[in-house]
C-alpha cells in the first residue's frame, strides 16, 4: 500500500477506524473533517471515543507520519488516488435520511478530484443516492469514479470486524474502479495478523473466509440497509416473543437460544431485552421505511419492528414500577450502562439513557454509571439523573438496580456485592445477561425480560 494516497472524509466511528487501519497498512492517509476538535485529538494519536485497539493504531500512524489531518479538501483531494466518504447520515425529524453531509462532501470532492482517482461511498445511504452523486460527478467531467462500498463494522469490535470481514460489497458500473476497492481490502486481509497485533486485539477463533461481492450500485446500497434492518427485525421478533413469554412463564433465553440452534435461523441477534439503540439501527430502519414510502412501498414489517423497539424501555420501567409496589416516586434506582451497548462510549439512541429519563419522569432518584461514558451522556440524559464515577457509588443504598448494558465489569461483579451495596433487592436485567439463579441465591429479586 506504500504507493497509495487515500483521503478519508469524516473522522467519526467509521472514518477514524478506516483511516487508522489504512495508514498502519502503509498508505498515506489524509483524514478530513470540519470538526477541528476531533482532528486535534487525532493529531495527538488518540480517538475521541472508546474503541478497543484504536488508540494504538492511531498513535503509530500519526507518529510515523502516515496519518495526517486536514480541514480543507484542497490540501488532500487533488493528491489522492482514492477518496473514501464516511461522513454522517443521521435521520431527519421525519425519519428519512439526512444526506446534507453526503452531498456537501461529494460536491466539494467533485471539484478537486483528479482522474483516475475514485470516490468510494462508505456512508450508509438510501438506495438511489449513488445515482444522484454520479450525475453530479458527470457534470464535473468525472466518469466511472463512483463506487458504493458499504461498511459493516460494529462499534466495540470495529478493528476485528474491519480485518476479519464476512464480506466486502462493491457496487458500481466500472469494473476497474470496483477492482481497485477490492484490492484495498485484499491488502488489509493480507496484513491482518500484524495489524491486529499492533492494535492489541485478539483475532477471532476458527477459520474465516471473506466473500467479495460485486453488484450494481442500487443493490450495494440496498444490501447495507437491509442487513441492518434484518438484524433489527430479529431483535424485535425476539422481543415480541419475550412479551408473550412474560405472560406464560416461558424463558425467552432458552426459547431463542434453542430456536437459533436451527442453522436455517441462526442464534445471532435474538437476545431479547431493552431493544436496539445506537447511531445506526434506529435511523437505518426509519431511513428504509422512508425510502420505501418514496417508491410507494409500505414496509409494514419494519414499521412493526420499529414500534415494538420503541415500546421496550417503557415496558421495562413499568415492570420495575410494579416490582417496587406500584410507584417509583422518591425511590433511588441505580442504572448501569449509558452506552448503547458494551465496548463503546457511544451514547447515540442509548436504551440506558432512555430508561434513565423514564425513571426521572416517574420521579425516581437516578444514579447512573458506565465504565466508558460520563460527559458524553450529558446532552441526552435528564439533568436530574446523576452520573457516578464508580459502580459502588451508583449502587450505594439504591432500592433497585437496572442493568442496561452487558459490560464485563457488570457481568463479573459478584452477586453478593450487589446485595451488600443496595438497600433494596430488585435486580432488573434488561439484557437477560445475568444468571438469574445465581442472583436469586445471593438474595436479589431477579427480574429479566421474558423470563419470569
Ligand atoms: P459520525 O457521526 O461518528 O462521524 C461523521 C463525521 O463526518 C463527523 O465527524 C462529521 O464532522 C464529519 N463530516 C460531516 N460533514 C463532513 C464533510 N463534508 N467532510 C468531511 N467530514 C464531514 O458517523 P459514523 O458513526 O462514523 O458513521 C458514518 C457513516 O457510516 C454513516 O452513514 C453510518 O450510517 C455508517 N456506518 C456507521 C457504522 C458505525 O458503527 N458507527 C458502521 C457502519 C456504517
Ligand atoms: C450495527 C451492525 O451490527 C453493523 O454490522 C453495522 O455496520 C452497524 O450497525 C452500522 O451500520 O452502524 P452496532 O450499531 O455497532 O452495529 O451494534 P450492534 O452490535 O449491531 O447492536 C445494535 C443494538 O442492538 C445495540 O443496542 C445492542 O445492544 C442491540 N442488540 C443486539 C440487542 O438488543 N439484541 C441482540 O441480540 C443484539
Amino acid at each position: 500500500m506504500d504507493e497509495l494516497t487515500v483521503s478519508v472524509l469524516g473522522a467519526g466511528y467509521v472514518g477514524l477506524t478506516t483511516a487508522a487501519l489504512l495508514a498502519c497498512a502503509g498508505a498515506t492517509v489524509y483524514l478530513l473533517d470540519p470538526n477541528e476538535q476531533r482532528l486535534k485529538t487525532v493529531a495527538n494519536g488518540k480517538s475521541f471515543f472508546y474503541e478497543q485497539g484504536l488508540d494504538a493504531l492511531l498513535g503509530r500512524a500519526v507518529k510515523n507520519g502516515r496519518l495526517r489531518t486536514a480541514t480543507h479538501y484542497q490540501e488532500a483531494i487533488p493528491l489522492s488516488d482514492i477518496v473514501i466518504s464516511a461522513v454522517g447520515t443521521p435521520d431527519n425529524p421525519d425519519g428519512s435520511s439526512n444526506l446534507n453531509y453526503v452531498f456537501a462532501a461529494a460536491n466539494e470532492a467533485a471539484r478537486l478530484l483528479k482522474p483516475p482517482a475514485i470516490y468510494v461511498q462508505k456512508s450508509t445511504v438510501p438506495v438511489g443516492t449513488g445515482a444522484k452523486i454520479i450525475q453530479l460527478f458527470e457534470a464535473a467531467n468525472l466518469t466511472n469514479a463512483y463506487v458504493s462500498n458499504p461498511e459493516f463494522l460494529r462499534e466495540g469490535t470495529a478493528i476485528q470486524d474491519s480485518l476479519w470481514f464476512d464480506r466486502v460489497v462493491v457496487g458500481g458500473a466500472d469494473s476497474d474502479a470496483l477492482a481497485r476497492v477490492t484490492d484495498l481490502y485484499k491488502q488489509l486481509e493480507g496484513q491482518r495478523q500484524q495489524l491486529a497485533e499492533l492494535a492489541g486485539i485478539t483475532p477471532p477463533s476458527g477459520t474465516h473466509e471473506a466473500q467479495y461481492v460485486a453488484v450494481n450500485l442500487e443493490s450495494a446500497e440496498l444490501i447495507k440497509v437491509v442487513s441492518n434492518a434484518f438484524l433489527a427485525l430479529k431483535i424485535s421478533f425476539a422481543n415480541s416473543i419475550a412479551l408473550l413469554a412474560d405472560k406464560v412463564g416461558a424463558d425467552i433465553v432458552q426459547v431463542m437460544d434453542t430456536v437459533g440452534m436451527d442453522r436455517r435461523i441462526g442464534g445471532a441477534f435474538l437476545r431479547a431485552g431493552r431493544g436496539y439503540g445506537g447511531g445506526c439501527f434506529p435511523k437505518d430502519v426509519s431511513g428504509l421505511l422512508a425510502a420505501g414510502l418514496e417508491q410507494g412501498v409500505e414496509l409494514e414489517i419494519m414499521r412493526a419492528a420499529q414500534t415494538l423497539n420503541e415500546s421496550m424501555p417503557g415496558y421495562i420501567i413499568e415492570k420495575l414500577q410494579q416490582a417496587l409496589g406500584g410507584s417509583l416516586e422518591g425511590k433511588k434506582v441505580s442504572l448501569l450502562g449509558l452506552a448503547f451497548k458494551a465496548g463503546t462510549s457511544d451514547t447515540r439512541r442509548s436504551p440506558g439513557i432512555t430508561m434513565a429519563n423514564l425513571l426521572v419522569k416517574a420521579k425516581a432518584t437516578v444514579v447512573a454509571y458506565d465504565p466508558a461514558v460520563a460527559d458524553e451522556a450529558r446532552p441526552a440524559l435528564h439533568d436530574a439523573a446523576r452520573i457516578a464515577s464508580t459502580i459502588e457509588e451508583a449502587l450505594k443504598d439504591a432500592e433497585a438496580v437496572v442493568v442496561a448494558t452487558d459490560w464485563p465489569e457488570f457481568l463479573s461483579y459478584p452477586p453478593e456485592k450487589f446485595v451488600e451495596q443496595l438497600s433494596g433487592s430488585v435486580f432488573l436485567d434488561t439484557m437477560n445477561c445475568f444468571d438469574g439463579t445465581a442472583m436469586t441465591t445471593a438474595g436479589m429479586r431477579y427480574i429479566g425480560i421474558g423470563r419470569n
Side-chain angles (χ1 to χ4, degrees):
M1 256 193 231
D2 292 5
E3 304 295 305
L4 207 64
T5 300
V6 180
S7 281
V8 175
L9 312 179
Y13 295 85
V14 170
L16 208 45
T17 306
T18 307
L21 280 168
L22 292 175
C24 287
T28 298
V29 180
Y30 290 90
L31 182 65
L32 292 123
D33 200 297
N35 186 329
E36 292 183 23
Q37 195 52 45
R38 283 191 175 182
L39 291 188
K40 216 166 139 192
T41 311
V42 176
N44 287 323
K46 296 251 179 290
S47 164
F48 71 95
F49 57 94
Y50 171 70
E51 178 68 51
Q52 198 203 355
L54 188 53
D55 281 0
L57 296 179
L58 287 171
R60 161 70 69 96
V62 169
K63 199 167 166 205
N64 70 15
R66 288 287 187 193
L67 180 61
R68 303 157 192 189
T69 56
T71 41
H72 297 296
Y73 280 31
Q74 179 68 52
E75 289 172 54
I77 306 290
L79 309 174
S80 301
D81 304 298
I82 300 182
V83 176
I84 298 176
S85 168
V87 303
T89 49
D91 45 354
N92 288 312
D94 68 357
S96 62
S97 306
N98 175 344
L99 297 173
N100 292 348
Y101 306 112
V102 163
F103 281 105
N107 254 313
E108 205 175 339
R111 288 192 294 111
L112 299 163
L113 215 60
K114 295 256 179 298
I118 54 170
Y119 192 85
V120 180
Q121 188 66 263
K122 251 191 190 305
S123 296
T124 303
V125 293
V127 59
T129 307
K132 291 181 192 147
I133 296 176
I134 286 176
Q135 281 176 12
L136 185 156
F137 277 13
E138 281 172 353
N141 288 324
L142 293 164
T143 43
N144 297 332
Y146 188 83
V147 177
S148 166
N149 170 229
E151 176 57 62
F152 299 102
L153 68 76
R154 290 164 298 174
E155 291 174 30
T157 49
I159 294 171
Q160 195 187 79
D161 291 347
S162 303
L163 295 173
W164 278 270
F165 33 83
D166 288 337
R167 77 285 210 206
V168 169
V169 175
V170 286
D174 185 63
S175 53
D176 280 351
L178 301 190
R180 283 167 71 190
V181 180
T182 302
D183 186 55
L184 210 53
Y185 286 92
K186 292 224 158 120
Q187 293 198 53
L188 272 184
E189 211 185 344
Q191 295 188 49
R192 63 190 183 190
Q193 295 290 353
Q194 301 92 299
L195 289 166
E197 212 166 285
L198 188 59
I201 61 149
T202 321
S205 52
T207 53
H208 208 92
E209 207 169 311
Q211 308 281 336
Y212 286 85
V213 184
V215 289
N216 75 13
L217 203 53
E218 288 70 22
S219 301
E221 290 172 337
L222 214 44
I223 285 167
K224 169 61 199 175
V225 184
V226 171
S227 298
N228 276 2
F230 190 70
L231 293 171
L233 195 59
K234 283 186 92 175
I235 298 168
S236 279
F237 180 78
N239 280 335
S240 67
I241 304 301
L243 303 184
L244 176 60
D246 259 346
K247 295 254 190 268
V248 298
D251 182 330
I252 190 69
V253 177
Q254 289 175 352
V255 171
M256 288 335 256
D257 280 356
T258 314
V259 167
M261 284 174 195
D262 183 329
R263 271 175 292 181
R264 295 170 303 172
I265 296 171
F269 283 70
L270 288 178
R271 168 114 61 97
R274 74 323 191 236
Y276 58 80
C280 291
F281 280 7
K283 63 120 176 128
D284 289 345
V285 168
S286 70
L288 180 61
L289 280 164
L293 279 184
E294 215 171 277
Q295 302 298 329
V297 179
E298 170 62 89
L299 297 160
E300 283 175 49
I301 193 164
M302 292 317 306
R303 180 88 55 204
Q306 180 188 53
T307 304
L308 185 79
N309 192 60
E310 287 169 359
S311 75
M312 289 313 291
Y315 174 78
I316 288 169
I317 298 308
E318 176 68 37
K319 245 179 189 282
L320 182 66
Q321 187 161 316
Q322 281 168 19
L324 288 175
S327 168
L328 288 163
E329 191 165 352
K331 307 264 163 71
K332 182 176 171 189
V333 179
S334 169
L335 185 127
L336 302 183
L338 291 166
F340 82 97
K341 67 172 194 176
T344 179
S345 56
D346 192 350
T347 57
R348 291 181 288 182
R349 305 273 164 91
S350 163
I353 293 181
T354 306
M355 290 190 288
N357 291 345
L358 287 173
L359 286 165
V360 170
K361 209 167 150 207
K363 300 196 169 58
T365 302
V366 180
V367 185
Y369 169 71
D370 189 291
V373 176
D375 295 345
E376 298 92 330
R378 230 35 285 182
L381 186 66
H382 197 290
D383 286 345
R386 192 158 70 76
I387 301 179
S389 46
T390 61
I391 186 169
E392 284 78 18
E393 188 191 336
L395 294 175
K396 191 93 201 110
D397 297 331
E399 287 175 60
V401 55
V402 177
V403 183
T405 309
D406 53 346
W407 277 105
E409 182 181 344
F410 305 157
L411 299 178
S412 62
Y413 201 74
E416 59 280 7
K417 280 188 81 181
F418 278 111
V419 178
E420 215 176 279
Q421 305 287 333
L422 299 171
S423 72
S425 61
V426 174
F427 189 94
L428 186 53
D429 175 9
T430 78
M431 287 199 74
N432 292 338
C433 53
F434 285 84
D435 176 349
T437 310
M439 297 312 289
T440 310
T441 308
M444 302 296 296
R445 193 171 150 206
Y446 176 86
I447 304 171
I449 312 304
R451 58 187 325 205
N452 280 343

